[in-house]
Amino acid sequence: MNTETGSNGQQHDRSAIVLYGSETGNAQDVADELGRITERLHFLTHVSNLDAIEPSSLPKHKLVIFAVSTTGQGDLPSNARSFWKSLLRKKLPPTYLEHVQFTTFGLGDSSYPKFNWAARKLHKRLSQLGANEIYPRGEADDQHPEGLDASFLPWSIDLRQHLLVKFPLAQGIDPIPEDVLLHPKWLLSFAEDPQTNSVHSNLNGKSQEYNQIHDILNEKPQRNLGVFSNGKSNHSRQEKNSERLTVTLEKNGRITPSTHWQDVRHLIFTSPSTLSYAPGDILTLYPKNQPEDVNRILEIMDWASIADKTVFFVPTGPDSGSNLYPSQPVSVQSGTANLSLRTILTEYLDLNALPRRSFFSLISHFTVDKMQKERLLEFTNPDYLDELYDYTTRSRRSILEVLQEFSSVKIPWQWVASVLPELRGRQFSIASGGQLKSGGESEGRCELLVAIVKYKTVIKKIREGVCTRYIAGLLPGIQMNVTLQKGGLGITKAEARRPVVMIGPGTGIAPMRSLIWERVQWAEEWKLLNKSNGVSLLGESVLFFGCRNRNADFFFESEWESIQDRIPLKVFSAFSRDQKEKIYVQDLLIQQCDLVFRLLYQSGGIVYICGSSGKMPLAVREALIEVFQKGGRMERGDAEAYLQAMEKQGRYKQETW
């Protein structure tokens, strides 16, 4: 067990590590919040992604907390898979983790069959290796109307009380109150002034709390590290199982009529080198904030006069040289020159994210207005969770708008990356495959189908997605940094002989189009190899597509007709608004009951479900159960059991967003 020196100067063994596996950042946010909870209970706390540590180091900590989301077909996120692989080594004895005390919080989506599967199988494996669960596992559901806080908040409150009992504080030591500002792990500093003590002199004398902030800013940083990289980044934009690329945007075309309610773009990227990807793989784009939004926050926070000065990140903790010390709050590339506050706000921090409960708690420290402070703290009160939901999630109110409304809040510029969330990349399923992977003079080619997010909220304000707003303004010819990453469908050529049933309404057609073009190429490769009809070796392909109107959003309609001459492809389309009675993909499945039953039950086919999460996957699942009941004259229980067997065999695959 590690014995370290705490903030109170005493030697103790209250060491905690909070580990996360996160694909989109939600589990990382949960881990950060759990880290603050344990830090206030005087644990020497480290927060890290799972792949940054070895399982053998877990017993060194008094307490281990896992926050893990589920991706793909019940998989762990990409930044947790090396850790998971290490746990699966057969030579590990059942006492390997017998000195580990842990708890787990899972983040999942109940529209997936394997809801919270990653957290559950991690918990099971830890227990098999002798680890001791000291508090019951918590689980959040992305489909809950009040979001993950509906589960996480009560779970974390109870966890805190349990930890106080399980690990009592020494006599005379109390938990750090919520109204005491925790020391940030990183601060920004001017290049010419690493002491960080020449700005915001207006913090002096305003209140005891502002004097506390000023004291932190005046502390001498451990060292001026410039753009710091500690080798095992917890916030790296490039995870394992991914490839960072520079591509050129060749096409950014709207493929829905200008009169249609939604702007959907067909994007084509090219690369001078070959791009290796499979159906279901993902391209991550990294958006930038709009200049008007950046200028607005600079003005609100009184940062305009220093916006273009060169700044650096400096660590503030005594253990900044440790492997477990958190990497800087945003993943600035090592060696980046002339980093400025404006650049950080434009490229690295999310001004339009929905604020989390912890954000209101943090910014409450940066106002001396009593009424606004009280209002901010109300949003952190668990008794007002409904009010927080109405103010943020229901109205889609952004961080920038909150700072505009609470105008007395003045965040010290040195703290900005510790207060505002990181602007994370957005993932899109690739829409190209087969011969579409290359073309023209370029070696590599990749296509996306992207719906531009723009809508009016319940408070009658227009909202736009940060990334799709950025995409909508991109002009052909621009070069972009992107990340190519393996997806969760796990499609391989070995499955080509099996029939496939593809269900992809809306932009869910993207990975299905990739698969269809890939199957075309497989058939042609077999034809050349065997000097015979390669089509006869390919399993049947059936596509169920759904949209509102045939004339508005029937994506790639003309392609399907030409492909049907090359492989056995059947396309069934549901246009929900073209007739009085709404028709959806699940209705088509039941209409084509005999065909679907033959392909999936009698021929051992594979079903893929892609598109919007929520009601659609659940409705499709119910339709498939009905297909098996009717086609096989089964009882419902038997039909459900068959569908579950398909999942275990890897013949039922879902990728929704």
Side-chain angles (χ1 to χ4, degrees):
M1 188 71 63
N2 274 356
T3 300
E4 305 181 51
T5 303
S7 57
N8 55 13
Q10 297 179 346
Q11 295 288 324
H12 57 73
D13 62 356
R14 292 178 69 84
S15 172
I17 187 166
V18 184
L19 300 169
Y20 62 84
S22 185
E23 200 70 55
T24 61
N26 289 330
Q28 183 177 331
D29 290 341
V30 165
D32 288 337
E33 178 63 20
L34 290 169
R36 288 187 285 269
I37 290 173
T38 55
E39 190 172 348
R40 290 189 183 278
L41 297 181
H42 296 281
F43 283 92
L44 295 175
T45 300
H46 299 288
V47 179
S48 170
N49 73 65
L50 280 158
D51 279 354
I53 66 113
E54 294 293 334
S56 59
S57 68
L58 296 182
K60 297 178 181 179
H61 303 279
K62 191 80 170 180
L63 172 66
V64 183
I65 304 177
F66 298 90
V68 182
S69 62
T70 297
T71 66
Q73 313 310 307
D75 303 319
L76 273 81
S78 57
N79 61 0
R81 289 173 190 165
S82 292
F83 177 88
W84 175 241
K85 187 177 180 180
S86 297
L87 284 185
L88 295 179
R89 288 176 293 176
K90 293 182 179 180
K91 65 179 180 180
L92 296 180
T95 57
Y96 183 65
L97 298 177
E98 63 179 344
H99 298 298
V100 172
Q101 301 183 92
F102 79 99
T103 188
T104 309
F105 189 82
L107 292 82
D109 184 330
S110 59
S111 70
Y112 277 78
K114 295 184 177 180
F115 172 60
N116 263 311
W117 207 256
R120 294 177 186 181
K121 66 184 182 182
L122 175 62
H123 174 274
K124 182 179 180 180
R125 184 56 178 159
L126 292 168
S127 298
Q128 289 174 344
L129 295 174
N132 304 291
E133 183 187 47
I134 61 164
Y135 186 72
R137 181 180 68 247
E139 293 185 347
D141 183 3
D142 193 50
Q143 296 300 320
H144 194 287
E146 293 180 1
L148 68 89
D149 271 345
S151 303
F152 175 68
L153 190 54
W155 183 86
S156 62
I157 291 172
D158 288 346
L159 171 65
R160 179 185 181 278
Q161 294 303 117
H162 181 81
L163 294 178
L164 280 170
V165 175
K166 180 73 175 178
F167 306 102
L169 293 168
Q171 188 173 2
I173 298 179
D174 296 317
I176 301 172
E178 290 291 332
D179 61 357
V180 173
L181 189 61
L182 293 176
H183 202 294
K185 301 299 188 293
W186 292 85
L187 290 171
L188 279 174
S189 167
F190 285 139
E192 67 273 13
D193 181 19
Q195 300 294 326
T196 72
N197 59 4
S198 62
V199 180
H200 269 259
S201 59
N202 62 326
L203 295 176
N204 279 314
K206 285 195 171 183
S207 68
Q208 181 179 355
E209 186 166 57
Y210 264 65
N211 286 332
Q212 176 196 3
I213 297 170
H214 186 263
D215 289 342
I216 293 174
L217 292 176
N218 274 330
E219 288 183 7
K220 185 177 180 179
Q222 298 301 301
R223 47 188 170 151
N224 192 340
L225 296 174
V227 179
F228 182 81
S229 176
N230 64 2
K232 285 195 173 183
S233 172
N234 297 328
H235 299 267
S236 173
R237 284 189 171 192
Q238 182 174 353
E239 304 290 358
K240 294 180 180 180
N241 306 312
S242 64
E243 180 183 4
R244 191 68 179 267
L245 306 165
T246 299
V247 297
T248 301
L249 177 64
E250 296 292 340
K251 176 184 176 182
N252 183 2
R254 176 168 180 162
I255 60 174
T256 51
S258 59
T259 55
H260 189 56
W261 71 279
Q262 189 170 48
D263 179 356
V264 178
R265 299 298 178 96
H266 182 201
L267 306 176
I268 300 177
F269 299 95
T270 57
S271 168
S273 57
T274 301
L275 298 180
S276 177
Y277 57 86
D281 285 356
I282 294 164
L283 195 73
T284 301
L285 306 185
Y286 299 98
K288 296 180 181 180
N289 288 308
Q290 299 297 312
E292 56 266 33
D293 289 344
V294 174
N295 289 333
R296 193 171 298 124
I297 194 171
L298 289 171
E299 181 182 348
I300 293 170
M301 291 293 116
D302 299 328
W303 294 336
S305 62
I306 59 169
D308 299 302
K309 291 189 176 184
T310 301
V311 294
F312 293 87
F313 281 102
V314 289
T316 61
D319 58 343
S320 61
S322 164
N323 225 21
L324 285 175
Y325 195 80
S327 55
Q328 62 191 40
V330 297
S331 52
V332 180
Q333 294 298 300
S334 182
T336 300
N338 299 323
L339 184 69
S340 68
L341 187 59
R342 187 185 302 277
T343 302
I344 292 172
L345 291 169
T346 301
E347 299 183 18
Y348 298 103
L349 298 177
D350 198 340
L351 308 181
N352 291 288
L354 297 184
R356 291 181 57 82
R357 178 172 166 270
S358 57
F359 174 77
F360 291 98
S361 176
L362 189 52
I363 66 172
S364 71
H365 294 282
F366 302 123
T367 177
V368 292
D369 185 294
K370 186 176 179 180
M371 290 184 64
Q372 290 201 353
K373 185 181 183 73
E374 288 178 354
R375 179 61 173 155
L376 289 168
L377 290 176
E378 282 182 5
F379 289 129
T380 70
N381 188 331
D383 294 335
Y384 293 98
L385 185 60
D386 289 347
E387 192 168 340
L388 174 64
Y389 175 82
D390 286 341
Y391 183 74
T392 57
T393 306
R394 187 165 179 266
S395 64
R396 313 304 293 177
R397 193 175 264 105
S398 70
I399 281 176
L400 182 57
E401 289 174 319
V402 170
L403 293 175
Q404 285 178 297
E405 293 179 17
F406 290 88
S407 57
S408 67
V409 171
K410 300 297 177 185
I411 303 168
W413 64 269
Q414 296 96 328
W415 290 62
V416 62
S418 297
V419 176
L420 303 182
E422 183 176 7
L423 182 57
R424 297 185 172 102
R426 269 50 169 185
Q427 298 178 336
F428 298 94
S429 287
I430 295 172
S432 49
Q435 68 186 53
L436 300 184
K437 290 182 180 179
S438 62
E441 298 178 358
S442 64
E443 289 290 334
R445 174 183 170 120
C446 181
E447 301 183 24
L448 300 180
L449 184 68
V450 178
I452 303 301
V453 178
K454 187 174 183 179
Y455 59 95
K456 187 176 290 187
T457 70
V458 294
I459 57 175
K460 307 303 181 184
K461 286 193 175 182
I462 299 295
R463 291 285 182 268
E464 298 180 75
V466 174
C467 190
T468 57
R469 181 184 179 192
Y470 171 68
I471 289 172
L474 292 177
L475 298 176
I478 189 173
Q479 288 195 323
M480 303 172 61
N481 291 324
V482 300
T483 299
L484 186 61
Q485 183 177 331
K486 289 293 181 186
L489 292 181
I491 297 172
T492 66
K493 189 176 181 179
E495 301 170 343
R497 295 177 185 269
R498 287 181 179 269
V500 293
V501 174
M502 299 167 283
I503 304 163
T507 54
I509 194 65
M512 302 298 89
R513 178 180 185 246
S514 176
L515 176 56
I516 289 169
W517 277 106
E518 202 78 0
R519 289 173 75 84
V520 170
Q521 179 165 302
W522 293 338
E524 293 179 352
E525 288 175 354
W526 280 334
K527 184 176 181 180
L528 291 174
L529 185 64
N530 300 318
K531 295 182 179 180
S532 62
N533 183 6
V535 172
S536 63
L537 302 176
L538 191 71
E540 292 180 65
S541 303
V542 177
L543 171 65
F544 290 92
F545 173 72
C547 63
R548 290 199 172 196
N549 312 103
R550 173 185 283 275
N551 295 328
D553 48 358
F554 189 3
F555 306 130
F556 309 116
E557 177 184 9
S558 60
E559 285 188 11
W560 310 141
E561 296 174 1
S562 62
I563 289 175
Q564 285 170 335
D565 295 331
R566 303 168 71 177
I567 64 170
L569 171 67
K570 294 180 180 179
V571 179
F572 299 97
S573 302
F575 307 108
S576 63
R577 303 299 193 275
D578 277 354
Q579 62 283 314
K580 185 177 181 180
E581 181 184 357
K582 294 180 181 178
I583 301 176
Y584 299 104
V585 286
Q586 58 266 30
D587 301 314
L588 296 183
L589 286 169
I590 295 172
Q591 289 176 15
Q592 299 298 324
C593 174
D594 292 343
L595 173 64
V596 175
F597 181 78
R598 176 174 63 81
L599 296 180
L600 297 183
Y601 188 86
Q602 296 176 339
S603 301
I606 304 172
V607 63
Y608 299 98
I609 304 166
C610 298
S612 177
S613 64
K615 295 181 180 179
M616 184 275 291
L618 296 176
V620 166
R621 188 178 180 85
E622 281 297 313
L624 289 173
I625 290 173
E626 186 172 340
V627 165
F628 294 138
Q629 283 183 274
K630 290 181 177 179
R633 297 180 181 178
M634 303 179 187
E635 297 293 331
R636 180 178 174 89
D638 294 332
E640 290 177 344
Y642 185 76
L643 200 57
Q644 291 169 0
M646 287 182 62
E647 294 165 14
K648 292 179 181 179
Q649 296 164 7
R651 294 172 46 223
Y652 181 102
K653 300 183 181 183
Q654 178 178 324
E655 191 68 61
T656 52
W657 49 85

